[in-house]
Amino acid sequence: MPANSRHRAERHAKATGGRLARAAGLRLRQWCLALVNPARRRPKGYPRPDRTGLRRWLPSWRHLVRIVLLSTVCLVGVIGYAYYDTDIPTDLKAFATQQNNVYYWADGTEMARTGDINREDIPLGQIPQGVQWATLAAENETFYTDDGVSPTGMLRAVRNMATGGATQGGSTITQQYVKNAYLNQRQTISRKLTEIFMAIKLDDKDSKQQILEGYLNTSWYGRGAYGIERAAQAYYGVDASQLNPSQGAFLASLLKGAGLYDPAISPENHQRAVARWKWILDRMVKIGKLTPAERAQYTTFPEPIDPPRQPGLTGQTGYLVDMAKQYVIAHTNITDAQFDLGGYQIYTTFEKPKEAALTAAVKAASSRLKADDQLRVGAASLATDGRVLAVYGGPDYLKQGFDNANASIVPAGTSFTPFVYAAALGQGVQKQVDAGRTPVSPTSPYNGDDQAPMQTPEGPYWDRNGKIVKGTNDGAKSWGTISLQDAVEQNVNSPMMQLGLDVGLDQVRQTALGLGLLPESMGAQVPSFSLGNSTPSAVRMADAYSTFATGGMHTDPYSVLRITRNGAAVDVAKPAATRALSPQVAQQVDAALVGAVQHGTGADARLPGRAAAGKNGTTQDNTAGWFVGYSGQVSTAVSVFRLDAKSVQTLPLDGQGDPSKSAAATAYPEDIWSSYMKDQAIG
């Protein structure tokens, strides 16, 4: 056939095919519109004249078959078009182009940079088979036989998203790799469908080995590690090629969320990690990838090494960065994995001059007072509007990652008694007096004697050993009859214990929670509850005391002012002020705390030329000492304690400091607090 004739024939065929395709498409569109709006294509003789009532409007079985077939054609057409229109990008998401996270002081100057992408690709052949199968057993045991998707898993995931249920689960390794390497992490139906189509195409395009290699090299394992090679270094300090199945099982557990399974984060995480590690190893036996004899070798959980510290986080900087990061994760929609990819600018509340002053005060006190290397200091300074201004978490973040300022292991001791006092004044508690009842006030008289028996409306308070519970004062001193305000100022224990029983320990607990203490830090509700068997952090204690300075208005502590990413603002929730105490109660507690500094047990914390309010705190077993107080718009808490690093148990302060001058439990905190608050940067 001549070339011109052949070209004309091809053009004619193409035009004819195009017309047919357009006609078919138009017809399919009309059918689908008729399905959506039956009024546009009402069958002849409808409503059905040979039927009565509701049956006149119900379609016949022929109509039902037609609707089902039409729906199927439309659905297949839509899915087919979406599948045809979905392409696999030629490049992975550019991990290497992500920025560091940059933290700024409150004045806008740079404080630290973190969040480098920690990723290194390795061939699948360098990853032991036992480690590969630990991941497959945990995430997708049918990986080598499926087509890249799990039909039942897909239906479950789409149904959950459509109904607002859980968005996780149902994804194969191939789907997870597509999400990690090519897509965002948003949980929407359109994104899920794209993930499914790409997974099917990728399963046809690449080998299973290529997909598994890509998945293991792009998955997030926490600690800033992307890929199993960097995860092996972050958790075990070895190359991935040196991992055994037991270690591989632990690393596989992290794929469910490192924030939930990294044992270094919390005891609860450790329990979850051990349970899932056992489950994965048992699963490997069940699917025939680990023999019972091999499984029997792995009975001890492979404890990871401590998280590595970044060199730029020396001194107090690391504690500040950790606190700000925790606030970001808790108060934004940013996940741990997204945050580790970097690119965020975090503007904190921390003030550099105050941080320097607090650190200097701790160091100066340590040089003046004698102590061993087990003595710990935790301190936090907050504005009365909740902004965290400075913290002292330990001598150096790179040497001691444990944050003393945020620790919830130190008993509050008698620094807790203002909360008891506030609860009694706020609740209008009635006290038994000569068979009558009278409201409690600052001048209410109480028995201040050492060994005063504790009373309930029914009689003496008996402990489990059948003994009457008695109050024990510092130095076994008896004060006779004493007013409640004087008892607070002079740190007298017996009246505070009795007051807690009078008001009700549950009411005391509710008041403390309202002032910002956390439920998990609350101690057992026994008479000693009023003397501080609870273990709040220094941050929470400083925040709670600030409520007395603001007329009863309380704001939860916060450490981040704003966040941006590539110039765009990121929403971050900040706490609002709420009323925790009436103005009258706040003023009455404030008066007692002012008195404690002016002529009470906190006299060593007086500030020349400035008003100050506060209270020291001691524990009956002498394991901790506190001073918490405020001046102007700044509230600061200082705790000292000794800690056994192995058992993480507090030790007595006996022998610390100079006994000829003052006990360490009071001398250290007051010294640090007053030195810090006297600094010109504080106001």
Side-chain angles (χ1 to χ4, degrees):
M1 181 184 291
N4 290 340
S5 299
R6 185 172 68 251
H7 291 159
R8 282 196 299 272
E10 290 174 351
R11 286 197 298 271
H12 176 73
K14 185 175 182 179
T16 302
R19 285 195 298 271
L20 291 174
R22 285 194 295 273
L26 178 62
R27 187 62 175 168
L28 178 61
R29 179 174 179 272
Q30 292 172 341
W31 285 351
C32 291
L33 288 175
L35 177 64
V36 175
N37 186 1
R40 299 172 68 102
R41 185 179 173 84
R42 178 173 292 173
K44 184 177 180 180
Y46 190 80
R48 299 162 68 185
D50 58 338
R51 297 289 187 271
T52 60
L54 180 62
R55 296 181 63 192
R56 296 184 64 222
W57 297 94
L58 294 177
S60 66
W61 67 269
R62 294 185 182 86
H63 291 157
L64 286 175
V65 171
R66 187 180 302 164
I67 290 172
V68 171
L69 291 175
L70 203 55
S71 300
T72 302
V73 170
C74 290
L75 181 61
V76 170
V78 170
I79 292 176
Y81 174 78
Y83 178 79
Y84 175 80
D85 193 54
T86 299
D87 292 321
I88 299 176
T90 56
D91 298 318
L92 299 180
K93 291 188 297 188
F95 289 91
T97 63
Q98 299 294 334
Q99 307 168 39
N100 293 338
N101 291 324
V102 185
Y103 294 80
Y104 296 91
W105 294 101
D107 63 5
T109 58
E110 185 175 315
M111 181 174 73
R113 287 176 176 263
T114 65
D116 294 325
I117 296 304
N118 188 8
R119 178 170 172 253
E120 180 181 343
D121 287 353
I122 59 172
L124 186 64
Q126 292 185 15
I127 305 172
Q129 284 288 320
V131 176
Q132 294 180 36
W133 274 105
T135 298
L136 295 176
E139 296 293 313
N140 183 191
E141 65 186 60
T142 61
F143 170 72
Y144 282 107
T145 58
D146 65 37
D147 295 320
V149 296
S150 167
T152 56
M154 288 188 322
L155 292 174
R156 183 171 63 251
V158 172
R159 182 185 69 244
N160 288 345
M161 284 186 289
T163 59
T167 55
Q168 285 79 22
S171 295
T172 63
I173 288 285
T174 309
Q175 288 175 257
Q176 293 182 53
Y177 174 51
V178 165
K179 181 174 64 174
N180 292 343
Y182 302 113
L183 302 176
N184 58 53
Q185 302 293 317
R186 290 193 296 270
Q187 295 288 349
T188 62
I189 292 179
S190 62
R191 208 278 297 147
K192 191 69 178 179
L193 289 175
T194 301
E195 171 194 304
I196 291 169
F197 297 145
M198 288 180 67
I200 295 173
K201 286 191 171 184
L202 189 66
D203 193 74
D204 288 336
K205 173 178 173 289
D206 292 348
S207 69
K208 290 290 188 179
Q209 289 75 16
Q210 288 175 308
I211 294 171
L212 182 58
E213 177 181 303
Y215 173 75
L216 291 172
N217 280 319
T218 57
S219 292
W220 181 71
Y221 289 86
R223 298 190 180 183
Y226 281 83
I228 195 165
E229 173 66 14
R230 302 318 301 168
Q233 291 288 346
Y235 289 93
Y236 291 109
V238 300
D239 292 334
S241 61
Q242 298 175 276
L243 293 171
N244 61 43
S246 177
Q247 294 167 325
F250 164 69
L251 293 181
S253 71
L254 297 169
L255 297 171
K256 283 294 184 185
L260 292 175
Y261 291 94
D262 185 346
I265 294 177
S266 69
E268 293 76 18
N269 271 26
H270 193 281
Q271 293 175 0
R272 280 191 289 265
V274 172
R276 186 153 181 83
W277 164 78
K278 290 180 178 178
W279 179 85
I280 292 172
L281 289 176
D282 291 341
R283 192 71 184 168
M284 291 178 69
V285 174
K286 185 173 182 179
I287 63 176
K289 299 304 176 182
L290 198 66
T291 68
E294 290 171 328
R295 172 66 178 91
Q297 297 176 19
Y298 305 122
T299 57
T300 302
F301 180 67
E303 296 287 351
I305 61 177
D306 291 335
R309 306 291 177 184
Q310 297 194 32
L313 303 183
T314 57
Q316 300 302 304
T317 305
Y319 302 116
L320 302 178
V321 166
D322 268 2
M323 183 178 293
K325 178 183 177 180
Q326 290 169 14
Y327 190 87
V328 170
I329 300 302
H331 295 86
T332 68
N333 291 323
I334 303 170
T335 66
D336 283 330
Q338 291 169 334
F339 196 78
D340 276 352
L341 281 175
Y344 295 94
Q345 297 81 46
I346 302 97
Y347 296 85
T348 73
T349 61
F350 308 126
E351 297 187 7
K352 192 172 184 178
K354 291 183 172 61
E355 183 62 43
L358 185 58
T359 302
V362 174
K363 290 182 177 179
S366 299
S367 65
R368 285 192 297 269
L369 303 170
K370 301 175 182 178
D372 61 26
D373 57 5
Q374 290 180 309
L375 187 75
R376 305 287 186 96
V377 176
S381 185
L382 280 68
T384 52
D385 62 3
R387 287 176 293 126
V388 182
L389 305 175
V391 300
Y392 183 86
D396 191 310
Y397 177 77
L398 297 184
K399 297 178 181 178
Q400 178 195 297
F402 183 81
D403 185 356
N404 298 339
N406 256 326
S408 290
I409 61 172
V410 186
T414 50
S415 61
F416 188 88
T417 56
F419 309 147
V420 182
Y421 188 45
L425 296 173
Q427 295 296 325
V429 64
Q430 301 290 310
K431 176 181 175 294
Q432 193 79 28
V433 177
D434 297 332
R437 302 180 70 81
T438 181
V440 164
S441 72
T443 59
S444 294
Y446 266 72
N447 184 353
D449 287 341
D450 184 54
Q451 299 299 310
M454 297 296 103
Q455 299 289 328
T456 71
E458 293 76 28
Y461 190 103
W462 301 86
D463 65 16
R464 293 182 178 179
N465 296 321
K467 296 181 179 180
I468 297 176
V469 175
K470 298 179 180 180
T472 302
N473 294 335
D474 288 349
K477 182 177 179 179
S478 291
W479 294 76
T481 301
I482 188 173
S483 72
L484 286 179
Q485 179 167 329
D486 287 343
V488 174
E489 294 177 358
Q490 302 300 330
N491 200 39
V492 186
N493 294 344
S494 292
M496 291 296 106
M497 286 183 69
Q498 184 60 59
L499 183 63
L501 294 176
D502 289 343
V503 70
L505 299 180
D506 186 60
Q507 294 293 344
V508 175
R509 182 180 187 276
Q510 292 304 315
T511 298
L513 294 176
L515 293 171
L517 271 60
L518 299 176
E520 56 267 29
S521 71
M522 292 288 100
Q525 291 185 29
V526 295
S528 60
F529 180 73
S530 298
L531 300 183
N533 64 8
S534 298
T535 57
S537 67
V539 172
R540 288 288 170 171
M541 285 296 284
D543 180 60
Y545 267 59
S546 69
T547 310
F548 306 134
T550 58
M553 298 301 294
H554 171 258
T555 307
D556 276 337
Y558 65 100
S559 56
V560 175
L561 294 169
R562 61 189 181 93
I563 306 171
T564 60
R565 192 171 196 274
N566 299 327
V570 177
D571 290 336
V572 55
K574 287 193 289 189
T578 59
R579 178 157 295 284
L581 301 172
S582 70
Q584 180 184 13
V585 170
Q587 188 279 325
Q588 290 172 329
V589 179
D590 174 72
L593 297 177
V594 169
V597 172
Q598 289 180 343
H599 47 74
T601 54
D604 288 342
R606 283 178 289 195
L607 304 177
R610 290 170 55 191
K615 189 176 186 313
N616 55 17
T618 57
T619 60
Q620 292 184 308
D621 58 3
N622 194 34
T623 57
W626 289 77
F627 193 87
V628 191
Y630 49 86
S631 179
Q633 303 300 309
V634 177
S635 178
T636 303
V638 180
S639 68
V640 297
F641 56 100
R642 292 175 72 231
L643 190 71
D644 185 323
K646 292 184 178 180
S647 65
V648 196
Q649 297 295 317
T650 53
L651 303 171
L653 289 169
D654 300 340
Q656 308 298 299
D658 187 349
S660 65
K661 295 181 179 179
S662 182
T666 55
Y668 271 100
E670 288 184 15
D671 187 298
I672 295 169
W673 189 92
S674 59
S675 295
Y676 167 69
M677 296 296 286
K678 288 174 183 176
D679 193 284
Q680 295 300 313
I682 314 304

